[in-house]
Amino acid sequence: MTYKQQINTDKLPSHVAIIMDGNGRWAQQHGKERIYGHQHGVQAVHDVTEAAAELGLGYLTLYAFSTENWNRPQPEIDALMVLLVQTIENETPTLNKNNVRLLTIGNLERLPEQTKIRLQRCIDATSKNTGLSLVLAISYSARWEITKAMTDIAKMASYGGVKPEDIDEEFVARQLSTRNIPDPDLLIRTSGELRISNFLLWQIAYTELYFTDIYWPDFTKEEFYKAIVSYQHRQRRFGKTNEQQQQ
Ligand code: FPP
């Protein structure tokens, strides 16, 4: 039986987040430059997005460029920016055809001006779609996001717009870039690294984690289905006992 056939369509995660890792090592394995790995990673982005839309998932979040990635060699940063925006532009008609809405999280202020403008055009072009939301984390890190939320709250407090007793978990969550997006049910990381690397730290409090040794360019639809099947075999208790959870 394929992994796709093993999926229980009544128990789908509504939000899957992915740390797409291993493009560089994949390129090295093939005796090529790092950017060759990123270029091949685009096919996996396409396939996994299509799989998520076909399954009827609500949200797919992809870690496309982290705050820390700004420290990579400038030619790699430039190539990644070009690849990102070109891919998104090329895919926009397909996103529209499949009713996929494009969203971004992250500090887009740091992007080159033209990249920002072109990205915004694609976001606007898909904004009316009601199927899968494809959330691209670009220039994103969880610590940046939490720090920004704290400075925003401090500003509101200094204007007298918010009091300490107003601040609860929901209030904090509304100040994050993921406001209106449910927390991920499943987080996948490829390439064998067992860490979170500053991704969605607030939001993954109760997320199921799935790690695979496969490098991102080799991650296929079937690998994605395999992760979902693994998720469906987990027992999620959210801090409660087994018995409470079954009630
Ligand atoms: C991690 O591999 C991957 C990235 C930093 C970039 C991911 C970008 C893409 C797949 C390009 C297009 C994306 C979209 C959403 C259109 P790495 O370079 O850290 O690999 P390594 O750990 O093996 O060096």
Side-chain angles (χ1 to χ4, degrees), residues 20-25 34 38 41-42 45 64 69 72 80 83-84 87 136 216:
M20 311 182 286
D21 196 13
N23 292 350
R25 278 163 287 166
R34 298 177 55 79
H38 298 314
V42 168
V45 169
N69 288 156
R72 290 198 173 186
L80 263 172
L83 186 64
L84 252 171
T87 305
L136 298 182
W216 178 250

Side-chain angles (χ1 to χ4, degrees), residues 110-121:
R110 289 187 72 174
L111 296 184
E113 201 50 33
Q114 273 308 308
T115 309
K116 242 182 340 201
I117 292 170
R118 288 165 67 185
L119 199 57
Q120 192 56 49
R121 258 189 230 136

